[in-house]
Amino acid sequence: MKTAPHFYYQNDILTVDGVRLDELASQYGTPLYVYSKAAFTEHYRQYADTCLAHQSDEIRSLVCYSVKSNSNIAILNILGREGAGFDIVSGGELLRVIAAGGDPRKVIFSGVGKTADEIRLALEHDILCFNIESLAELHRIERIAAEMGKTARVSFRVNPDVDPKTHPYISTGLKENKFGIPYEEALESYMTAAKMPHIAITGIDCHIGSQLLDDAPLLEALDKLTDLFDRLAQQDIELHHIDIGGGIGITYDDEQPVPIADYLDRVFARIAAWKKAKHPGTPFTMVFEPGRSISGNAGLLLTEVQYLKTNAEKHFAIVDGAMNDLMRPSLYEAWHGVLPVTKRAGQTAVYDIVGPVCESGDWLARQRELSIKAGDLLAVMSAGAYGMAMSSNYNTRGRAAEILIADEQAHLIRRRERPEELFALETVVS
Ligand code: LLP
């Protein structure tokens, strides 16, 4: 397993940008999410800088960070100040972006189930665009925009029916998935939208899946979108942007995802050639919705070994982090690296790292060779994306605290939840 650049040992103690994790554990307790501001910024800039390098009078771009991957407002604030837009999937995420000082005019709203209240909220804040996923949703947006005397900017999320070759739970661009409008029905849907007085058609989009290592399926999807773009132009429906979604994967173990700059170079090469041939002279924006490739390798989950236990079959390290803190292993059998915070020489054993939750599925890692004892700290790596964001209070466990390391200083960006807070909204019926 390769460690990500901002997570390294100094004198045999694991640090985040030089800040010792053992010291963070004594100060803030465990389980604890620890993020590197420098990593977030670097990953975002890989997108932003390459986009800038390809910018011209005719081709612009917008990187909309996918809020769902890690939605702490400190993170959103950092990315917003870098110039990021945001990809949201709920009214709650919109309120987070606003609380973080993000610009609603750079927000795109995806998701198959937008409620009337969420649509109203988004229109009130004049977001950049709704990514519409069904005709029923189109009709709802038209009706609400009419009631509010507004015009809604929209794009259709088209399902391009390409195989992203990733885990079935995070693959979204195949015909059988619930996402988007079938490719064959897209043209007709646009024709319907074009007749609506409170709808302004601005673009087209797709998102085919997550943790993609190869960009070939994304480029295939892009070709399908430019194709539709051309056919819509023939019907006098003029689009201004293409949104290719997110999906670029990260290294958890030894995966080698396509470098972001290479992927973007290929996207812009195609877009530039296509535009020159088919739509010269018209301004155009390329939109990206990256989540994991920005946040995944920007954070870890720190946990303390409570007990070591051995049965006839296995050695277990029972830790204080659990499936409620990091759901990915239980839900997708996802693999996360596990590193001892203090490197220890001595005898090793092969452990399953499990949490205290009453489910056999409550494990964080399996079959890891470690030299550990009770009281040791372990770091579950690559946990910056879909970690805290997917956490729950199952077993009445308060959610972990979150720390951001910025300029070698630790900042508490979310305090640990207290048990009383977990039932404070409940009422006894007498
Ligand atoms: N745009 C849309 C419309 C999405 O649905 C997603 C992720 C993204 C962008 C960002 O994709 P990314 O760049 O992060 O791959 N919980 C799963 C991942 C679910 C992804 C959901 N959609 C996991 O932990 O692997």
Side-chain angles (χ1 to χ4, degrees):
M1 182 204 143
K2 286 191 282 179
T3 49
H6 295 272
F7 305 84
Y8 52 84
Y9 285 94
Q10 268 181 349
N11 305 321
D12 288 342
I13 307 282
L14 188 61
T15 75
V16 175
D17 290 318
V19 175
R20 292 170 59 139
L21 288 170
D22 54 345
E23 289 178 1
L24 291 179
S26 2
Q27 193 174 348
Y28 298 101
T30 51
L32 187 71
Y33 274 99
V34 187
Y35 308 121
S36 157
K37 177 185 174 184
F40 268 101
T41 313
E42 256 169 45
H43 300 159
Y44 171 76
R45 287 185 188 165
Q46 287 170 0
Y47 280 93
D49 292 352
T50 317
C51 284
L52 201 62
H54 289 280
Q55 187 163 302
S56 67
D57 288 346
E58 279 188 34
I59 301 179
R60 314 209 143 253
S61 44
L62 181 63
V63 181
C64 290
Y65 169 67
S66 193
V67 172
K68 67 166 81 73
S69 73
N70 185 325
S71 56
N72 186 294
I73 60 170
I75 305 296
L76 303 184
N77 174 267
I78 289 166
L79 296 175
R81 281 190 285 151
E82 286 284 317
F86 297 97
D87 161 48
I88 62 161
V89 288
S90 71
E93 287 190 347
L94 176 56
L95 294 175
R96 273 183 182 276
V97 168
I98 294 166
D103 181 358
R105 284 302 310 265
K106 289 187 184 172
V107 165
I108 46 179
F109 192 170
S110 311
V112 291
K114 302 175 192 80
T115 66
D117 283 347
E118 289 176 319
I119 292 166
R120 233 171 261 125
L121 184 72
L123 283 170
E124 266 162 27
H125 289 283
D126 201 22
I127 63 158
L128 181 62
C129 184
F130 290 89
N131 286 344
I132 294 189
E133 303 222 13
S134 66
L135 275 180
E137 183 190 334
L138 172 70
H139 286 286
R140 181 180 267 184
I141 294 178
E142 162 66 13
R143 179 177 56 74
I144 295 171
E147 278 164 21
M148 294 173 71
K150 298 209 174 215
T151 303
R153 286 176 290 273
V154 308
S155 119
F156 279 100
R157 175 170 177 181
V158 173
N159 187 335
D161 193 25
V162 298
D163 186 354
K165 301 188 177 67
T166 184
H167 190 288
Y169 279 19
I170 51 177
S171 144
T172 48
L174 278 170
K175 261 189 187 151
E176 67 248 36
N177 295 128
K178 69 177 175 182
F179 298 99
I181 294 201
Y183 190 76
E184 307 72 42
E185 291 168 27
L187 201 72
E188 216 176 300
S189 305
Y190 273 98
M191 310 278 265
T192 308
K195 295 191 201 104
M196 294 183 165
H198 298 90
I199 295 287
I201 297 169
T202 59
I204 186 163
D205 94 286
C206 74
H207 170 79
I208 60 169
S210 203
Q211 184 56 13
L212 275 68
L213 300 176
D214 179 10
D215 59 0
L218 287 160
L219 298 173
E220 190 185 331
L222 182 63
D223 287 345
K224 288 196 151 183
L225 295 192
T226 50
D227 213 56
L228 256 179
F229 193 114
D230 298 342
R231 284 198 272 143
L232 288 164
Q234 284 159 15
Q235 307 290 327
D236 289 328
I237 296 177
E238 215 191 298
L239 304 183
H240 308 287
H241 77 257
I242 292 183
D243 176 348
I244 190 68
I248 295 292
I250 60 165
T251 304
Y252 285 98
D253 185 5
D254 52 9
E255 303 91 332
Q256 291 189 324
V258 55
I260 289 162
D262 294 1
Y263 162 54
L264 296 190
D265 284 345
R266 286 193 271 272
V267 166
F268 284 109
R270 279 180 193 227
I271 289 294
W274 159 76
K275 230 189 136 285
K276 198 167 162 210
K278 301 274 181 61
H279 309 274
T282 52
F284 170 86
T285 304
M286 191 65 217
V287 180
F288 302 91
E289 302 174 356
R292 187 191 320 259
S293 51
I294 292 178
S295 53
N297 271 326
L300 55 75
L301 175 64
L302 185 60
T303 183
E304 190 189 83
V305 179
Q306 303 299 304
Y307 305 100
L308 296 181
K309 184 172 173 177
T310 301
N311 67 17
E313 300 280 318
K314 273 184 172 175
H315 298 294
F316 293 99
I318 302 169
V319 298
D320 60 2
M323 64 187 285
N324 75 295
D325 300 301
L326 180 65
M327 208 180 172
R328 303 192 69 256
S330 313
L331 193 56
Y332 315 115
E333 300 198 337
W335 192 98
H336 285 262
V338 173
L339 294 176
V341 168
T342 307
K343 272 192 189 165
R344 180 197 306 287
Q347 218 178 346
T348 62
V350 175
Y351 294 95
D352 277 11
I353 320 291
V354 301
V357 166
C358 303
E359 303 250 2
S360 299
D362 180 28
W363 54 275
L364 296 177
R366 282 176 168 160
Q367 301 288 298
R368 302 303 167 88
E369 189 174 353
L370 292 162
S371 167
I372 44 173
K373 57 182 180 49
D376 281 2
L377 295 166
L378 296 176
V380 184
M381 307 305 290
S382 312
Y386 307 109
M388 184 66 178
M390 290 175 77
S391 65
S392 78
N393 293 125
Y394 189 36
N395 280 205
T396 306
R397 289 169 50 83
R399 259 175 283 230
E402 294 179 289
I403 300 291
L404 180 73
I405 306 299
D407 304 320
E408 291 173 34
Q409 297 287 318
H411 303 265
L412 181 65
I413 57 170
R414 191 180 206 270
R415 72 156 170 78
R416 189 173 302 285
E417 286 176 350
R418 302 184 183 114
E420 318 79 65
E421 289 172 330
L422 307 185
F423 48 87
L425 307 180
E426 299 165 23
T427 313
V428 173
V429 177
S430 52

